[in-house]
């Protein structure tokens, strides 16, 4: 321990108070011992430090900051150098605003395209996600502030995210859902990691010793602190024992008093508390910002970096007869709501108050194109109403299309389609947009669709456009970057970081996602994204719209000169076209004759190479300790299965350009089981409807009950969404009000983030998120009311409130400590 002398001077109350926050965004200072507070703020793709007094859920607008492309967008760049540059810029803005810790990057795996928060996450692949996250963390921390990758772990849905239990087998957990965190922790050494709300195999993540100590600290060598997600601390004492350091937000001393009681009773040993305090102090002192550090930043310079990031994140998905790039002076009609008001970020805690926002309508005059006019044509929420004072006139849009040589059709998902707290119900773009697209195609088939979406969409309308450009959610400078791509000022170089299926029903978790009550069953195991699509369905796999790693360019690339050994792979890439551009080469590894269930191929390396026309470069991609490994459920560790591996170099997971064989020997005998006999669905990757018995064999235990027990009394861990079957008429009335507000906001297309948070929150979350108003004994009194004993519960509630206030005053500290 580094701070033994300092800790020896603390009393128990001071130790307990340090391990939970001060208010919503700060840690507890101890002025007596010169221990400062640090400030934490959201920031996966831009700083969100609240301007006003923090509201109780932390969702008030933030200070002006640069909004960069979201993780789902910048992941399409596959450029770790670029991601690190964006991270450095985020760090600079954090310093200017005196933010000591940025709560990001988001690192959850895109298990299903329906997750409402997928726009905050990098990929369906843990190798790509881990490498990009490591780059972001290095960039952020180079400025002297902490990064806090999140949400650790297996947090793949928004529905009931604070109460759900992720039931996942050991191989999927270690190979898919933890590997990205492992890469980020080992390569970038973040000062913090945020634990997730959910349970993982029956234990809340924030009090899961297997995750927080055995794996994160002991196996990966993590040297930072674990911060709970806001309101995600179920039992603060269990969290401290398991390895959590900071419960957020502060509970005005309530959690500290619980911990103090546990210290005095011996339920939590003082040695454990001392260790957590020491680790917390190490991070607090490491991320102090010098008083003379800059308090401003160059907004225009940062806007240019945002535009550069957007440029490399654009994915050209279709380009029929090379309709793009457009020639200077081309007469175009600008149609679509998104051309005037771009969707450049998602909704929720990551929402940035951008310093400026570019739009296609504002910038098209600088593009060199001849714009025949603009019509919004549709209302993005799908309703036939007016937009400000301009009528949303479908017929006017069709008439405008007739006047142009080509239509730039700006379309996409609306705000309610991608938001924290709410999963998507389908993968469709609003029907009114598709109806207009079809109508325009009747009068002018030369349509270039520009798509704003932070995640996958179904594209049955693809034949109605000659080109499709994926903007994703490209940040405040995305509009200008797209116009540069359309006119050939830049050559599109992005490639998809997730597979686009033909339909939602094709996705591997279709029958399991989301978990609607107690559990979220990960029955598809390791077969996430391309691991499923490329493996199931025989030699050709499951047909998809666009494969993982796919993206077109205005030039062409050839691959040659493969060289392969146990250290890595090298090959040559040549720009065989007439335009300078960049190629993203991908390294996939497979073991065709494995005795174990495996994906047909797995990404194990990538490189982005910029080449002038006719230029060639030889690139080297080394192997590492993750290249050939699998997690052995019998030895409880990673092993290497010996055999003849195939190493493939591809322009996408489907477009393999070079391949070679490599004999790899196992360091020690691994499992000798034959999965073809015991786990046939997994061995064949036919995982969409796995039986209960086979899922139990995969888990090595019977899965827990997935349904709520509607006859039982509600408890602390039950969610507010469950009040509909409470015994109390009053509780059911509260549920009806919340449900009505939630439904109303969804119908309007404007997510009510506060209601979404509350609706999915467990009842004990009321204590965690209410500041000094409610503590856990008061939650028990509220539960008496909910469970049908109104007056008894009300009496207990008032008594517990008075007891809480009396005790808080009695142990108030003279100079800091428990916040009152």
């Amino acid at each position: 321990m580094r701070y033994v002398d300092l800790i020896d001077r603390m009393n128990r109350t001071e130790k307990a108070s340090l391990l939970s926050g001060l208010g919503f965004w700060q840690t507890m200072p101890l002025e007596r011992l010169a221990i400062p507070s640090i400030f934490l703020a959201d920031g996966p793709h831009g700083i969100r430090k609240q301007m006003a007094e923090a509201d109780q859920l932390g969702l008030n607008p933030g200070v002006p900051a640069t909004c960069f492309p979201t993780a789902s967008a910048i992941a399409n760049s596959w450029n770790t150098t670029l991601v690190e540059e964006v991270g450095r810029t985020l760090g600079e803005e954090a310093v200017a605003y005196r933010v000591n810790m940025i709560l990001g990057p988001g690192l959850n795996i895109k298990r299903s395209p329906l997750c409402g928060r997928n726009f905050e996450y990098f990929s369906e692949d843990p190798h790509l996600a881990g490498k990009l996250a490591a780059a972001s963390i290095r960039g952020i921390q180079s400025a002297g502030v902490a990064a806090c990758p999140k949400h650790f772990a297996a947090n793949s849905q928004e529905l009931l995210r604070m109460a759900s239990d992720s039931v996942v087998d050991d191989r999927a957990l270690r190979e898919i859902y933890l590997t990205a965190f492992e890469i980020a922790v080992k390569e970038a050494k973040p000062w913090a990691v945020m634990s997730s709300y959910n349970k993982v195999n029956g234990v809340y993540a924030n009090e899961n010793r297997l995750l927080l100590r055995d794996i994160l600290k002991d196996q990966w060598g993590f040297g930072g602190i674990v911060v709970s997600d806001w309101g995600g601390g179920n039992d603060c004492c269990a969290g401290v024992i398991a390895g959590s350091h900071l419960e957020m937000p502060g509970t005005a001393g309530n959690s500290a008093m619980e911990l103090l009681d546990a210290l005095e009773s011996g339920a939590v040993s003082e040695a454990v508390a001392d260790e957590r305090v020491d680790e917390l102090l190490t991070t607090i002192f490491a991320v102090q910002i010098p008083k003379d550090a800059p308090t401003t930043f160059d907004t225009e310079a940062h806007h240019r970096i945002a535009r550069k990031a957007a440029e490399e994140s654009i994915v050209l998905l279709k380009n029929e007869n090379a309709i793009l790039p457009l020639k200077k002076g081309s007469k175009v009609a600008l149609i679509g709501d998104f051309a005037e008001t771009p969707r450049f970020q998602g909704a929720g805690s990551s929402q940035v108050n951008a310093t400026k926002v570019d739009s296609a309508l504002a910038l098209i005059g600088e593009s060199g194109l001849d714009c025949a006019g603009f019509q919004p044509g549709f209302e993005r929420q799908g309703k036939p109403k007016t937009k400000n004072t301009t009528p949303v006139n479908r017929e006017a849009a069709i008439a405008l299309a007739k006047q142009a040589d080509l239509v730039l059709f700006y379309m996409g998902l609306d705000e309610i389609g991608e938001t924290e707290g709410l999963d998507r119900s389908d993968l469709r773009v609003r029907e009114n947009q598709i109806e207009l697209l079809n109508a325009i195609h009747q009068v002018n088939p030369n349509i270039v669709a520009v798509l704003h979406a932070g995640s996958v969409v179904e594209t049955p309308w693809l034949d109605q456009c000659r080109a499709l450009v994926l903007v994703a959610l490209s940040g405040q400078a995305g509009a200008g970057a797209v116009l540069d791509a359309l006119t050939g000022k830049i050559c599109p170089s992005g490639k998809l970081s997730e597979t686009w299926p033909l339909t939602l029903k094709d996705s591997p978790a279709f029958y399991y996602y989301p978990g609607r009550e107690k559990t979220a069953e990960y029955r598809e195991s390791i077969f996430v994204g391309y691991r499923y699509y490329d493996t199931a369905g025989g030699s050709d796999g499951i047909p998809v719209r666009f494969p993982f790693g796919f993206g077109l360019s205005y030039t062409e690339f050839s691959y040659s000169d493969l060289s392969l050994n146990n250290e890595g792979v090298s090959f040559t890439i040549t720009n065989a076209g007439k335009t300078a551009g960049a190629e993203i080469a991908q390294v996939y590894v497979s073991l065709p004759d494995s005795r174990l269930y495996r994906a047909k191929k797995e990404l194990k390396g990538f490189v982005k190479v910029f080449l002038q026309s006719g230029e060639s470069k030889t690139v080297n991609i080394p192997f590492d300790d993750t290249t050939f490994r699998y997690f052995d459920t019998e030895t409880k560790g990673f092993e290497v299965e010996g055999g003849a591996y195939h190493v493939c170099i591809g322009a996408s997971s489907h477009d393999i350009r070079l391949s070679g064989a490599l004999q790899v020997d196992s360091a020690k005998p691994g499992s000798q089981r034959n999965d073809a006999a015991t786990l046939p669905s997994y061995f064949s990757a036919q995982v969409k409807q796995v039986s209960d018995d086979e899922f139990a064999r995969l888990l090595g235990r019977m899965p827990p009950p997935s349904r709520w027990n509607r006859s039982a009394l509600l408890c602390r861990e039950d969610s507010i969404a469950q009040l509909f079957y409470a015994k109390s008429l009053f509780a059911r009335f509260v549920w009806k009000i919340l449900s009505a507000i939630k439904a109303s906001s969804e119908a309007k297309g404007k997510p009510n983030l506060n209601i979404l948070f509350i609706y999915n929150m467990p009842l004990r979350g009321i204590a965690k998120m209410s500041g000094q108003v409610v503590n856990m004994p008061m939650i028990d009194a509220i539960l008496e009311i909910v469970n049908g004993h109104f007056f008894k519960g009300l009496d207990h509630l008032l008594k517990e409130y008075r007891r809480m206030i009396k005790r808080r005053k009695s142990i108030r500290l003279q100079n800091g400590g428990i916040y009152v």
Side-chain angles (χ1 to χ4, degrees), residues 650-663:
S652 77
S653 68
H654 282 193
D655 185 7
I656 302 302
R657 304 293 185 88
L658 302 170
S659 63
L662 182 68
Q663 182 66 37

mmCIF file of all heavy atoms in Angstrom, residues 650-663:
data_model
loop_
_atom_site.group_PDB
_atom_site.id
_atom_site.type_symbol
_atom_site.label_atom_id
_atom_site.label_comp_id
_atom_site.label_asym_id
_atom_site.label_seq_id
_atom_site.Cartn_x
_atom_site.Cartn_y
_atom_site.Cartn_z
ATOM 1 N N GLY A 650 -8.266 -10.717 -45.251
ATOM 2 C CA GLY A 650 -9.458 -10.344 -45.987
ATOM 3 C C GLY A 650 -9.699 -8.854 -46.046
ATOM 4 O O GLY A 650 -9.235 -8.086 -45.197
ATOM 5 N N ALA A 651 -10.465 -8.452 -47.079
ATOM 6 C CA ALA A 651 -10.970 -7.086 -47.154
ATOM 7 C C ALA A 651 -12.279 -6.973 -46.389
ATOM 8 O O ALA A 651 -12.768 -5.873 -46.142
ATOM 9 C CB ALA A 651 -11.172 -6.688 -48.610
ATOM 10 N N SER A 652 -12.864 -8.110 -46.016
ATOM 11 C CA SER A 652 -13.998 -8.214 -45.103
ATOM 12 C C SER A 652 -14.019 -9.658 -44.637
ATOM 13 O O SER A 652 -13.207 -10.483 -45.076
ATOM 14 C CB SER A 652 -15.311 -7.842 -45.797
ATOM 15 O OG SER A 652 -15.765 -8.907 -46.624
ATOM 16 N N SER A 653 -14.964 -9.994 -43.762
ATOM 17 C CA SER A 653 -15.034 -11.384 -43.316
ATOM 18 C C SER A 653 -15.440 -12.318 -44.445
ATOM 19 O O SER A 653 -15.192 -13.526 -44.374
ATOM 20 C CB SER A 653 -16.014 -11.511 -42.147
ATOM 21 O OG SER A 653 -17.346 -11.279 -42.570
ATOM 22 N N HIS A 654 -16.065 -11.773 -45.501
ATOM 23 C CA HIS A 654 -16.467 -12.583 -46.654
ATOM 24 C C HIS A 654 -15.474 -12.520 -47.802
ATOM 25 O O HIS A 654 -15.450 -13.423 -48.643
ATOM 26 C CB HIS A 654 -17.841 -12.117 -47.166
ATOM 27 C CG HIS A 654 -18.987 -12.601 -46.353
ATOM 28 N ND1 HIS A 654 -20.300 -12.527 -46.766
ATOM 29 C CD2 HIS A 654 -19.032 -13.183 -45.120
ATOM 30 C CE1 HIS A 654 -21.099 -13.032 -45.834
ATOM 31 N NE2 HIS A 654 -20.357 -13.421 -44.830
ATOM 32 N N ASP A 655 -14.700 -11.480 -47.861
ATOM 33 C CA ASP A 655 -13.822 -11.238 -49.011
ATOM 34 C C ASP A 655 -12.376 -11.569 -48.626
ATOM 35 O O ASP A 655 -11.574 -10.696 -48.296
ATOM 36 C CB ASP A 655 -13.950 -9.777 -49.445
ATOM 37 C CG ASP A 655 -13.147 -9.467 -50.713
ATOM 38 O OD1 ASP A 655 -12.600 -10.416 -51.323
ATOM 39 O OD2 ASP A 655 -13.064 -8.284 -51.079
ATOM 40 N N ILE A 656 -12.057 -12.865 -48.662
ATOM 41 C CA ILE A 656 -10.734 -13.333 -48.270
ATOM 42 C C ILE A 656 -9.810 -13.287 -49.480
ATOM 43 O O ILE A 656 -10.086 -13.879 -50.524
ATOM 44 C CB ILE A 656 -10.796 -14.764 -47.690
ATOM 45 C CG1 ILE A 656 -11.740 -14.796 -46.476
ATOM 46 C CG2 ILE A 656 -9.403 -15.248 -47.321
ATOM 47 C CD1 ILE A 656 -11.372 -13.857 -45.350
ATOM 48 N N ARG A 657 -8.703 -12.575 -49.345
ATOM 49 C CA ARG A 657 -7.778 -12.373 -50.469
ATOM 50 C C ARG A 657 -6.566 -13.305 -50.423
ATOM 51 O O ARG A 657 -6.047 -13.703 -51.468
ATOM 52 C CB ARG A 657 -7.292 -10.925 -50.486
ATOM 53 C CG ARG A 657 -8.405 -9.877 -50.536
ATOM 54 C CD ARG A 657 -9.163 -9.906 -51.846
ATOM 55 N NE ARG A 657 -10.142 -8.837 -51.940
ATOM 56 C CZ ARG A 657 -9.891 -7.607 -52.399
ATOM 57 N NH1 ARG A 657 -8.674 -7.287 -52.812
ATOM 58 N NH2 ARG A 657 -10.850 -6.703 -52.437
ATOM 59 N N LEU A 658 -6.073 -13.617 -49.233
ATOM 60 C CA LEU A 658 -4.907 -14.481 -49.078
ATOM 61 C C LEU A 658 -5.170 -15.451 -47.932
ATOM 62 O O LEU A 658 -5.891 -15.123 -46.988
ATOM 63 C CB LEU A 658 -3.646 -13.667 -48.752
ATOM 64 C CG LEU A 658 -3.212 -12.575 -49.732
ATOM 65 C CD1 LEU A 658 -2.103 -11.721 -49.103
ATOM 66 C CD2 LEU A 658 -2.731 -13.190 -51.040
ATOM 67 N N SER A 659 -4.576 -16.623 -47.977
ATOM 68 C CA SER A 659 -4.713 -17.559 -46.859
ATOM 69 C C SER A 659 -3.527 -18.497 -46.834
ATOM 70 O O SER A 659 -2.891 -18.774 -47.863
ATOM 71 C CB SER A 659 -6.016 -18.356 -46.961
ATOM 72 O OG SER A 659 -6.029 -19.164 -48.118
ATOM 73 N N GLY A 660 -3.251 -18.999 -45.652
ATOM 74 C CA GLY A 660 -2.166 -19.951 -45.484
ATOM 75 C C GLY A 660 -2.423 -20.806 -44.262
ATOM 76 O O GLY A 660 -3.262 -20.484 -43.418
ATOM 77 N N ALA A 661 -1.705 -21.924 -44.178
ATOM 78 C CA ALA A 661 -1.849 -22.849 -43.062
ATOM 79 C C ALA A 661 -0.678 -22.684 -42.101
ATOM 80 O O ALA A 661 0.452 -22.390 -42.514
ATOM 81 C CB ALA A 661 -1.927 -24.284 -43.559
ATOM 82 N N LEU A 662 -0.962 -22.876 -40.827
ATOM 83 C CA LEU A 662 0.071 -22.735 -39.804
ATOM 84 C C LEU A 662 -0.166 -23.786 -38.730
ATOM 85 O O LEU A 662 -1.247 -23.841 -38.141
ATOM 86 C CB LEU A 662 0.024 -21.334 -39.185
ATOM 87 C CG LEU A 662 1.080 -21.026 -38.128
ATOM 88 C CD1 LEU A 662 2.462 -20.968 -38.765
ATOM 89 C CD2 LEU A 662 0.763 -19.708 -37.419
ATOM 90 N N GLN A 663 0.830 -24.629 -38.506
ATOM 91 C CA GLN A 663 0.739 -25.637 -37.455
ATOM 92 C C GLN A 663 1.054 -24.990 -36.115
ATOM 93 O O GLN A 663 2.099 -24.375 -35.933
ATOM 94 C CB GLN A 663 1.712 -26.797 -37.724
ATOM 95 C CG GLN A 663 1.650 -27.906 -36.699
ATOM 96 C CD GLN A 663 0.318 -28.648 -36.722
ATOM 97 O OE1 GLN A 663 -0.269 -28.867 -37.789
ATOM 98 N NE2 GLN A 663 -0.168 -29.052 -35.550
#
